[in-house]
């Protein structure tokens, strides 16, 4: 995927870019940067949820560009007024899969992400972390080629984080390209094949995961990794 | 009081006839108003178009319209010298249904609009992300919002069944033709026939309680999230 001069403006203010980047091959890329850096905006723009004001997003493989081959896990899980199982099954029901069949697969995905709750209860009764697992299971239903995750582990405890990370590594090995934002430096270190570091809407640094953590090139990234507060 | 209770308990023929007509008119009006109001409300919630604010403003204005004025308008439209006079609908149940549709459609549309708008705000990103077609989006919103939509219709029915001003004017309260619960109560009270008035009142109260039980039940399943 190649981004050329991509920018997003809202209310007369530039909130992202202009931004040039290319992401090739498989693997798992981590988006990092302080609050308001533009991580969510970039992920949403790549997925086609955010109108791009200038520039162009080009997918090398046209199959990847298709929305239905992409999955998105939102920063705040979208809760439907349905049972947990029906929420997870929903993408397949849109595809015309029979309800029983879709629910059967949804049960398997729920198991896979470690969502061990009564799946027939209303989704709004789940805890914050369980809701995030529900959203991940739902995003996996169509077996996406590209998976976007916006801070998927923000409310999870250590064990759940580990479960999710294992799943992400597994589906990465299955050939799914993953782009994910996180504030968890440890997680970034564990997962990143490559890193995109954003600050104030600009792509400040892009590097191989190990290189980025060992020897960050820019002052902003150095400060961020040291835990200093970026202004 | 006892006399009134006896009239209800023995299914007094007049009472039954009046109640049946009331139900027919108000249920008819509710069905028609729901068919117009629910899709209209959902459509206003999901689509952005230039005249949207204008349509919503009109709906709100119509909602505040006193039923007597609606009755007067319908009367003038359907009276012999009015534009629809040739249809000969004045003083028929059809005219009463028309008046009630005008009164409750804005209520139903506005409750539906409110509910579907909230749902759409919640679902928007997910439905776009999953590439749901326009039809799938509407279907999902209507299905997941079904309780709120039932509430809207029930609220419309509650308003219709208790309405008196408009149907008095366009129906004329004619015995065995256009006499319904509310207009009959007004008449019997005027004549001093309190037993019959009270009996009709019991029936009306019973219906109102049923409507409220229905609303209560819907909101309880909503909160209890049994679906
Ligand atoms: N629709 C919008 N209108 C105006 N400003 C917006 C809009 N959406 C986002 N912004 C602004 O754009 C900037 C980037 O937001 P974004 O959500 O992408 O940040 P983020 O990196 O995901 O932050 P966080 O770590 O807090 O999730 C913020 O300053 C935000 O206020
Ligand atoms: Mg964000």
């Amino acid at each position: 995927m190649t981004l050329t001069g991509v920018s997003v403006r809202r209310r007369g203010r530039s909130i992202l870019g202009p931004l040039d980047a290319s992401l090739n091959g498989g693997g798992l890329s981590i988006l990092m940067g302080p609050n308001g850096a533009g991580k969510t905006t970039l992920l949403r723009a790549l997925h086609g949820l955010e109108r791009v004001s200038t520039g162009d997003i080009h997918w090398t493989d046209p199959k990847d560009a298709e929305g239905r081959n992409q999955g998105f896990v939102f920063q705040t899980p979208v809760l439907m007024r349905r049972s947990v199982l029906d929420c997870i099954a929903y993408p397949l029901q849109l595809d015309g899969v029979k309800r029983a069949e879709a629910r059967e697969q949804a049960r398997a995905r729920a198991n896979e992400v470690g969502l061990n709750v009564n799946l027939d209860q209303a989704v709004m009764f789940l805890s914050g972390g369980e809701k995030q697992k529900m959203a991940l299971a739902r995003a996996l239903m169509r077996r996406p080629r590209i998976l976007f995750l916006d801070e998927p582990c923000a409310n999870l405890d250590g064990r759940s984080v580990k479960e999710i990370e294992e799943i992400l590594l597994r589906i990465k090995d299955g050939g799914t390209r993953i782009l994910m934002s996180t504030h968890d430096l440890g997680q970034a270190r564990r997962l990143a094949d490559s890193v995109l570091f954003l600050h104030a809407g600009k792509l400040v640094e892009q590097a191989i995961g190990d290189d980025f953590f060992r020897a960050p090139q820019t002052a902003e990234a150095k400060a961020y990794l040291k835990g200093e507060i970026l202004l | 009081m006892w006399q009134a209770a006896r009239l209800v308990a023995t299914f007094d023929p007049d009472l039954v006839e009046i109640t049946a007509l009331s139900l027919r008119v108000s249920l008819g009006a509710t069905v028609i108003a729901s068919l117009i109001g629910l899709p209209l409300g959902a459509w206003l919630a999901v689509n952005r178009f230039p005249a949207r604010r204008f349509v919503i403003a009109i709906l709100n204005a119509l909602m505040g319209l006193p039923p007597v004025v609606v009755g007067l308008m319908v009367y003038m439209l359907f009276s012999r010298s009015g534009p629809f006079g040739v249809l000969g609908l004045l003083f028929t149940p059809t005219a009463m249904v028309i008046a009630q549709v005008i009164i409750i459609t804005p209520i139903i549309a506005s409750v539906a609009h409110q509910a579907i708008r909230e749902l759409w705000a919640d679902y928007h990103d997910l439905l776009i992300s999953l590439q749901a077609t326009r039809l799938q989006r509407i279907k999902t919103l209507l299905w997941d919002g079904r309780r709120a939509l039932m509430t809207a219709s029930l609220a419309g029915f509650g308003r219709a069944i208790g309405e008196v001003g408009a149907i008095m004017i366009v129906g004329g309260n004619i015995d065995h033709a256009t006499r319904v619960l509310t207009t009959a109560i007004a008449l019997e009270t005027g004549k001093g026939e309190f037993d019959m008035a009270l009996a009709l009142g019991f029936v009306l109260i019973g219906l109102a309680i049923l409507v409220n039980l229905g609303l209560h039940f819907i909101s309880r399943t909503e909160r209890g999230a049994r679906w």
Side-chain angles (χ1 to χ4, degrees):
Chain A
M1 168 195 16
T2 315
L3 308 178
T4 38
V6 169
S7 76
V8 176
R9 299 180 68 83
R10 289 289 175 268
R11 302 200 190 112
R13 194 164 72 86
S14 170
I15 59 175
L16 183 73
L19 194 141
D20 296 288
S22 79
L23 284 161
N24 290 315
L28 194 156
S29 298
I30 296 274
L31 263 58
M32 280 200 290
N35 291 133
K39 303 180 295 295
T40 298
T41 309
L42 177 56
L43 288 172
R44 289 174 60 94
L46 292 174
H47 186 43
L49 285 173
E50 222 47 78
R51 203 167 26 81
V52 167
S53 308
T54 64
D56 179 47
I57 299 168
H58 177 78
W59 298 86
T60 319
D61 186 339
K63 276 203 212 111
D64 295 341
E66 280 172 37
R68 54 154 302 116
N69 288 330
Q70 304 179 351
F72 201 105
V73 177
F74 294 95
Q75 190 160 3
T76 345
V78 178
L79 309 178
M80 301 183 80
R81 299 188 188 167
R82 300 184 175 198
S83 72
V84 181
L85 201 57
D86 286 327
C87 263
I88 299 175
Y90 182 68
L92 286 193
Q93 290 205 266
L94 286 182
D95 294 345
V97 176
K98 284 212 192 65
R99 181 155 183 262
E101 163 70 14
R103 281 165 63 91
E104 201 47 53
Q105 292 195 35
R107 206 176 285 281
R109 289 295 92 69
N111 245 321
E112 202 175 305
V113 300
L115 184 56
N116 302 312
V117 297
N118 169 14
L119 296 177
D120 290 317
Q121 67 182 312
V123 75
M124 65 180 178
F125 292 148
L126 296 182
S127 78
E130 288 160 356
K131 285 174 185 158
Q132 281 178 303
K133 289 184 181 175
M134 177 282 295
L136 176 60
R138 181 172 57 196
L140 293 178
M141 283 301 277
R142 283 172 170 171
R143 308 213 167 270
R145 299 163 59 93
I146 314 273
L147 180 62
F148 300 102
L149 302 120
D150 200 358
E151 299 186 32
C153 299
N155 288 310
L156 298 182
D157 61 28
R159 199 183 119 189
S160 298
V161 170
K162 190 162 176 295
E163 278 170 6
I164 301 284
E165 288 182 3
E166 278 164 8
I167 294 159
L168 293 180
L169 291 174
R170 202 160 66 232
I171 60 175
K172 180 185 88 170
D173 291 337
T176 299
R177 183 76 174 87
I178 300 176
L179 272 99
M180 143 175 182
S181 71
T182 182
H183 285 288
D184 180 344
L185 286 178
Q187 177 169 62
R189 263 181 232 274
R190 288 191 294 273
L191 297 180
D193 295 316
S194 69
V195 171
L196 292 117
F197 184 77
L198 295 174
H199 179 42
K202 299 277 189 295
L203 179 61
V204 175
E205 189 164 341
Q206 181 180 3
I208 304 288
D210 293 339
D211 296 349
F212 179 80
F213 293 107
R214 201 161 18 81
Q217 299 297 307
T218 57
E220 287 94 339
K222 277 179 194 151
Y224 185 78
L225 288 178
K226 267 193 263 166
E228 282 169 19
I229 292 161
L230 284 182
L231 293 175
Chain B
M1 184 82 175
W2 284 115
Q3 194 58 28
R6 207 182 56 81
L7 283 172
V8 178
T10 57
F11 292 102
D12 177 80
D14 279 347
L15 189 65
V16 170
E17 187 189 342
I18 292 171
T19 306
L21 183 63
S22 251
L23 285 174
R24 227 178 76 205
V25 168
S26 295
L27 282 176
T30 305
V31 168
I32 296 170
S34 296
L35 287 176
I36 304 169
L38 297 179
L40 177 63
W43 189 66
L44 286 173
V46 174
N47 287 298
R48 311 237 147 247
F49 55 97
R52 199 178 69 98
R53 301 214 137 270
F54 182 69
V55 176
I56 292 172
I58 294 211
L59 273 185
N60 286 333
L62 283 175
M63 213 159 43
L65 217 56
V68 194
V69 177
V70 174
L72 178 63
M73 286 178 347
V74 175
Y75 185 95
M76 295 197 323
L77 288 175
F78 288 94
S79 71
R80 228 167 257 297
S81 52
F84 303 117
V86 286
L87 298 176
L89 287 178
L90 200 60
F91 305 132
T92 65
T94 308
M96 296 155 76
V97 170
I98 292 171
Q100 291 202 332
V101 166
I102 296 174
I103 292 167
I104 66 176
T105 299
I107 298 167
I108 293 177
S110 141
V111 176
H113 171 239
Q114 187 70 29
I116 298 293
R117 198 178 53 181
E118 272 174 35
L119 206 56
W120 176 232
D122 287 354
Y123 283 19
H124 176 271
D125 283 351
L126 180 71
L127 295 182
I128 303 290
S129 165
L130 293 175
Q131 313 256 301
T133 63
R134 188 175 281 263
L135 189 65
Q136 287 177 325
R137 288 180 217 169
I138 297 274
K139 264 170 42 182
T140 300
L141 291 172
L142 292 180
W143 177 248
D144 285 15
R146 62 194 180 280
R147 278 176 196 74
L149 299 180
M150 282 190 319
T151 307
S153 291
L154 216 46
F157 176 75
R159 179 83 189 269
I161 195 83
E163 196 279 322
V164 54
I167 46 172
M168 182 75 101
I169 295 178
V170 303
N173 195 24
I174 302 165
D175 204 6
H176 302 304
T178 58
R179 184 162 298 170
V180 292
L181 288 167
T182 48
T183 55
I185 291 175
L187 179 76
E188 300 296 339
T189 308
K191 287 197 305 191
E193 296 277 352
F194 293 115
D195 287 337
M196 189 59 178
L198 209 53
L200 293 158
F202 284 153
V203 175
L204 200 52
I205 290 171
L207 287 172
I209 290 174
L210 276 182
V211 168
N212 277 298
L213 278 179
L215 289 173
H216 175 77
F217 180 73
I218 293 171
S219 83
R220 221 189 43 182
T221 55
E222 175 91 67
R223 266 179 289 120
R226 276 183 289 264
W227 56 66

